[in-house]
């Protein structure tokens, strides 16, 4: 409001207060954009600090690793892209909404970027929940759609484990993958581990049994049952949901295989699938975001047990994680800002 206009308002109504909008510190950027850029800068600084900190140790351990073949790394990146598209198809099938594939895929990348900070997948759940609510679903219906995606992913993962069960009995891959977790438990001691499991189980059971919690979750449970009933009466949606979630696992297996083959290892796709399915299941018990610090040693140990060179397999796992796990953070931050600017979040 200009000064003459404010003077006219004061003269007409002396009791009326004139509020002047505060001047933005950065007129060219909104607050969500500045927040997202600041988050990207923090992530970049942390990654740079880690790279500097462990550069010497990594160089000494990976000195004998052959140079990667770049066409396999490009294939690994392509599999990572298809992974996010398949997740977008899963959300379309689970929600039943007419969602643009481009928009819902960008939501998956933005959710992945958020998930790198918040553990146990809570960041991605929050982004998905907000997006589905913006598109018209109620909170219980959105939670039911997200839960059905998680359930379809668990079913596809278990089916994959059944398929590769024969490989586990013929080699020492399973024991090698579980060995990092076993050594951690051995270092901590059986007593503290059992005590921790009991405390977590008691807290979870007590929370779920609390009357207020049950009163809050009862409507959501009814909506989830209704959602499952709708999926049961829509075989096409259910098939698309299950196949797309199976496709996400296949994309991750192919991405890891491409990274392994990039370093010259002659390993079968079935062996890589076995290592990934068992390793990701074991690393899922870690409370870190995306299994950081648990998945890498599990995959490296498993690939080495499957016949690869230990140093080369460690390099392959690290490159695979950089391409499929860390690089999407950069576009994810910008997708997150764009989705908030367009009102989708």
């Amino acid at each position: 409001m200009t000064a003459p206009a404010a003077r006219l308002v004061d003269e007409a109504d002396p009791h009326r207060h004139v509020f002047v909008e505060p001047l933005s510190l950065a007129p060219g950027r909104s607050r969500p954009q500045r927040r997202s850029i600041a988050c990207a800068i923090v992530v970049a600084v942390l990654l740079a600090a880690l790279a500097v900190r462990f550069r010497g140790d990594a160089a000494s351990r990976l000195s004998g690793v052959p140079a990667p073949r770049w066409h396999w790394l490009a294939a690994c990146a392509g599999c990572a892209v298809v992974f996010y598209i398949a997740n977008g198809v899963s959300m379309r099938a689970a929600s039943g909404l007419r969602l643009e594939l481009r928009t819902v895929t960008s939501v998956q990348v933005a959710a992945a970027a958020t998930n790198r900070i918040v553990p146990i997948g809570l960041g991605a759940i929050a982004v998905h929940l907000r997006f589905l609510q913006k598109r018209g679903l109620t909170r219980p219906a959105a939670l039911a759609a997200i839960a059905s995606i998680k359930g379809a992913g668990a079913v596809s993962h278990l089916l994959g484990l059944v398929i590769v069960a024969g490989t586990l009995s013929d080699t020492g891959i399973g024991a090698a993958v579980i060995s990092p977790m076993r050594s951690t438990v051995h270092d901590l001691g059986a007593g503290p581990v059992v005590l921790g499991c009991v405390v977590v189980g008691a807290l979870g059971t007590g929370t779920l049994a609390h009357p207020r919690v049950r009163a809050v979750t009862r409507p959501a449970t009814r909506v989830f049952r209704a959602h499952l009933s709708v999926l049961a009466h829509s075989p096409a949606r259910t098939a698309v949901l299950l196949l797309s979630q199976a496709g996400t696992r296949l994309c991750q297996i192919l991405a890891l295989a491409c990274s392994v083959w990039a370093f010259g290892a002659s390993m079968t796709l079935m062996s890589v699938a076995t290592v990934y399915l068992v390793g990701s299941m074991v690393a899922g018990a870690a409370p870190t975001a995306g299994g950081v610090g648990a998945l890498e040693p599990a995959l490296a140990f498993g690939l080495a047990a499957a016949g690869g060179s230990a140093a080369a397999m460690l390099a392959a796992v690290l490159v695979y994680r950089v391409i499929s796990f860390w690089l999407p953070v950069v576009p994810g931050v910008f997708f997150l800002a764009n989705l908030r600017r367009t009102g989708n979040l």
Side-chain angles (χ1 to χ4, degrees), residues 45-125:
V45 170
L46 290 176
L47 291 177
L50 288 174
V52 173
R53 170 66 179 81
F54 296 104
R55 180 181 58 185
D57 187 36
S60 62
R61 290 178 180 271
L62 304 178
S63 57
V65 176
R69 290 177 281 185
W70 296 103
H71 62 281
W72 282 119
L73 297 184
C76 177
C79 293
V81 173
V82 178
F83 165 79
Y84 291 104
I85 297 175
N87 266 321
V89 174
S90 294
M91 178 164 284
R92 290 176 62 176
S95 64
L97 300 174
R98 294 181 177 272
L99 303 172
E100 305 86 355
L101 186 58
R102 180 178 60 181
T103 302
V104 77
T105 302
S106 64
V107 170
Q108 305 309 310
V109 183
T114 309
N115 219 30
R116 302 303 179 255
I117 303 172
V118 183
I120 324 177
L122 296 179
I125 292 175

Side-chain angles (χ1 to χ4, degrees), residues 147-169:
S148 63
I149 295 173
K150 299 293 185 182
V155 169
S156 64
H157 201 104
L158 290 175
L159 288 177
L161 287 172
V162 171
I163 293 173
V164 302
T167 306
L168 284 174
S169 60

Side-chain angles (χ1 to χ4, degrees), residues 19-36:
F19 296 92
V20 180
E21 184 178 356
L23 183 63
S24 175
L25 295 177
R29 299 186 185 275
S30 63
R31 184 174 298 175
Q33 284 179 310
R34 296 197 299 272
R35 194 176 303 159
S36 301

Side-chain angles (χ1 to χ4, degrees), residues 259-304:
S259 182
V260 168
W261 296 334
F263 287 91
S266 57
M267 194 175 299
T268 64
L269 183 61
M270 185 63 73
S271 297
V272 176
T274 304
V275 172
Y276 173 79
L277 292 171
V278 177
S280 58
M281 183 182 67
V282 173
T288 57
V292 175
L295 182 60
E296 292 85 359
L299 295 180
F301 274 92
L303 292 172

